[in-house]
Amino acid sequence: MTAVRTYPHGVTCWIDTEQPDPAAAAAFYAGLFGWTLTDAVPPGAPGSYLVATLDGRDVAAIGPGDGPPTWNTYVAVDDADVTAAAVPGLGGTVVSGPEDAGPGGRLAACTDPQGAPFRLWQARRRPGAQLTNAPGAWNFSDLHTPDRAGTMAFYGPLFGWRDVDMAQDSGTMLQVPGYGDHLAATVDPGIHERQASAPPGFADVIGGLLPTGAGPASWHVTFTVADRDDAAATAERLGATVLRSGEDAWTRTALVRDPQGAEFTVSQFTPPEGTW
């Protein structure tokens, strides 16, 4: 039996997308990533929340939304009420909540001082994504921000994050110290040995930090794929737009806009030392 993946305070733990037509979005992402989608809202109750699974494990969700379609990133917290109460004092805004999301957990929607929306998640029945870094599953969330120092002055005290310019051309990463040890003690006992050739501290990484110049702040979601070109071609066949492709020392990527307008990245992992 697969162990339940849990997330310490401050670790990015879940993603979902709000779409005007959730059924159409479900058809697109099922075709692209092979997801099976099941409505978590009980029959007869209002609304819908389609939880996506791969091999029976939760990977993401799709819900209804009236605003521009987007992907949301959730951060695990020990207590949503306590953490939400700290947000305004650090310069952020609590947009809604905290409130219960059924038996799954308790959430709050917030924005950071630079305007990037994010969500807090206090887990109950649903601790977060149960499959990550596998083809069709969530790989990473990157924070795009015009103000690195201001961003860290907010997220550092709130979640205990560190921003680190990593070796081996890996960019600037966000870390929760000790997260790699948590993984080694729970769902990934071989993580430190497998990542022996990775930059020091890579096991503690929970996201990336990308400068945007004068551009708006936002959280951006990346999915793992086995082949970037195949995934991009499939996305286009299903009605999406491939905005651009790129390659670096670690990945082959494509930025995609889904048929209703939400943007995300597909990423093929190509590490210098081979597969690990």
Side-chain angles (χ1 to χ4, degrees):
M1 186 173 181
T2 303
V4 174
R5 183 176 184 131
T6 57
Y7 294 86
H9 180 90
V11 176
T12 48
C13 65
W14 185 242
I15 54 170
D16 64 17
T17 180
E18 295 171 324
Q19 304 260 348
D21 188 339
F28 170 76
Y29 286 102
L32 180 59
F33 294 136
W35 292 352
T36 298
L37 291 117
T38 304
D39 199 340
V41 176
S48 68
Y49 193 70
L50 305 175
V51 176
T53 59
L54 281 173
D55 298 325
R57 290 181 280 178
D58 293 356
V59 292
I62 298 171
D66 297 327
T70 187
W71 276 96
N72 304 303
T73 294
Y74 291 67
V75 182
V77 294
D78 294 331
D79 188 312
D81 293 82
V82 170
T83 305
V87 166
L90 293 168
T93 303
V94 178
V95 178
S96 65
E99 59 190 354
D100 289 336
R106 190 163 173 80
L107 67 86
C110 306
T111 59
D112 70 18
Q114 286 69 45
F118 68 97
R119 295 184 176 179
L120 307 177
W121 183 248
Q122 179 187 340
R124 290 172 181 158
R125 286 191 186 176
R126 292 189 180 275
Q130 295 300 299
L131 178 66
T132 61
N133 303 319
W138 178 37
N139 167 241
F140 225 55
S141 287
D142 290 316
L143 176 55
H144 296 205
T145 181
D147 182 357
R148 176 173 173 173
T151 289
M152 292 311 301
F154 173 76
Y155 288 105
L158 193 65
F159 296 134
W161 289 358
R162 298 189 308 190
D163 57 324
V164 179
D165 296 320
M166 304 204 79
Q168 301 182 31
D169 297 321
S170 297
T172 301
M173 298 295 179
L174 301 168
Q175 295 176 324
V176 169
Y179 180 48
D181 292 337
H182 172 83
L183 291 172
T186 55
V187 295
D188 195 352
I191 186 170
H192 292 305
E193 293 77 12
R194 190 178 66 254
Q195 294 186 0
S197 62
F202 195 77
D204 289 340
V205 168
I206 59 88
L209 188 67
L210 279 71
T212 61
S218 64
W219 278 94
H220 184 81
V221 169
T222 295
F223 295 94
T224 298
V225 294
D227 186 287
R228 186 271 313 271
D229 294 336
D230 286 349
T234 300
E236 288 185 319
R237 177 175 57 81
L238 293 168
T241 302
V242 176
L243 301 175
R244 64 174 179 269
S245 297
E247 299 180 14
D248 60 27
W250 293 86
T251 59
R252 303 178 72 232
T253 62
L255 177 63
V256 179
R257 179 180 294 140
D258 76 18
Q260 297 185 65
E263 294 184 7
F264 61 94
T265 292
V266 294
S267 176
Q268 176 186 350
F269 190 41
T270 55
E273 301 296 327
T275 302
W276 49 268

